[in-house]
Amino acid sequence: EVQLLESGGGLVQPGGSLRLSCAASGFTFSSYAMTWVRQAPGKGLEWVSIIKSSGGDIGYADSVKGRFTSSRDDSKNTLDLQMNDLRVEDTAVYYCAKGRGDNSVFDYWGQGTLVTVS
Amino acid sequence: EIVLTQSPATLSLSPGERATLSCRASQSVSTYLVWYQQKPGQAPRLLIYDASNRATGIPARFSGSGSGTDFTLTISSLEPEDFAVYYCQQRSNRPITFGQGTRLEIK
């Protein structure tokens, strides 16, 4: 069974940093793209970042480029999101999700972790 | 950036009725269009990928169609558990973008 478990969310002041992690199990982690998608309270979905298998291709939304860094550790089956220079508008539930292949169809999602910047 | 516009914003229907949700892209995305369902307090669930392919375990009452800039998600006969918010997503170009969502509510 595929499982994705996010951690690391919490309350942080503007300008601060936070590191989110996503622990994956139930599939061959190294073979799949992984992504972060966020959802501000009461709002829609916003794509944040994607990292393809082997980490050779990483992409970011313009809203986080230069502030957020996505990485993966295929030996530990973990996906991380380092978030620096956080802004009030970064407040959201952050989901990690698995690609259906090494692509941008997201077939399994974690339950999310809440980041509050205030 | 490719903008996805979903319509209507809210759709009010009764169980057993047919639902038709639209997603329009600001430029062609070929068939690289994905649909998700999200219920309150839950993560999104993949329904349809590449415009018309049902994901594993998705009931046959859900179907997708379209190509280029105009796409449709159809639910042939609404079940009580289908009332939720539906999002489209394009994976043709980066940045990956989502539509603003259509809320399907019980009439």
Side-chain angles (χ1 to χ4, degrees):
Chain A
E1 178 191 6
V2 172
Q3 292 193 355
L4 299 170
L5 184 61
E6 303 95 338
S7 62
L11 176 64
V12 61
Q13 293 183 339
S17 298
L18 214 53
R19 189 176 185 90
L20 305 183
S21 290
C22 174
S25 61
F27 63 103
T28 305
F29 182 77
S30 60
S31 297
Y32 294 89
M34 297 295 296
T35 199
W36 291 98
V37 173
R38 68 186 181 183
Q39 187 168 36
K43 302 298 184 182
L45 302 173
E46 181 188 13
W47 173 71
V48 172
S49 176
I50 190 168
I51 182 167
K52 294 292 191 77
S53 68
S54 79
D57 178 12
I58 305 175
Y60 299 96
D62 287 346
S63 59
V64 307
K65 202 173 294 183
R67 301 187 298 124
F68 290 12
T69 302
S70 185
S71 61
R72 63 190 298 161
D73 186 335
D74 290 344
S75 68
K76 296 181 179 178
N77 291 353
T78 56
L79 171 72
D80 288 343
L81 185 68
Q82 176 66 41
M83 304 186 295
N84 297 331
D85 188 23
L86 282 161
R87 305 168 181 170
V88 171
E89 55 266 34
D90 295 320
T91 295
V93 173
Y94 284 73
Y95 295 101
C96 71
K98 167 190 167 291
R100 186 176 174 274
D102 196 21
N103 60 40
S104 312
V105 175
F106 308 127
D107 58 355
Y108 289 91
W109 297 62
Q111 281 307 298
T113 187
L114 176 62
V115 172
T116 303
V117 185
S118 177
Chain B
E1 170 176 320
I2 296 176
V3 176
L4 299 179
T5 302
Q6 293 187 240
S7 62
T10 303
L11 184 58
S12 300
L13 294 170
S14 301
E17 291 193 292
R18 182 184 187 89
T20 303
L21 288 67
S22 174
C23 178
R24 177 164 290 178
S26 59
Q27 65 188 75
S28 177
V29 298
S30 183
T31 57
Y32 296 120
L33 197 285
V34 186
W35 290 96
Y36 301 91
Q37 175 195 68
Q38 187 179 33
K39 297 179 180 179
Q42 295 185 16
R45 176 173 74 143
L46 174 66
L47 296 176
I48 301 286
Y49 64 94
D50 294 351
S52 60
N53 298 286
R54 265 191 310 277
T56 303
I58 300 303
R61 64 181 181 273
F62 290 90
S63 63
S65 63
S67 65
T69 61
D70 290 308
F71 299 87
T72 300
L73 174 69
T74 301
I75 310 171
S76 59
S77 179
L78 285 165
E79 298 287 342
E81 62 267 27
D82 298 337
F83 292 91
V85 179
Y86 292 82
Y87 294 96
C88 57
Q89 173 228 318
Q90 65 81 19
R91 68 181 195 93
S92 173
N93 288 8
R94 287 191 196 166
I96 295 164
T97 50
F98 289 88
Q100 83 280 14
T102 289
R103 180 177 305 276
L104 178 56
E105 64 177 26
I106 299 177
K107 187 173 182 179

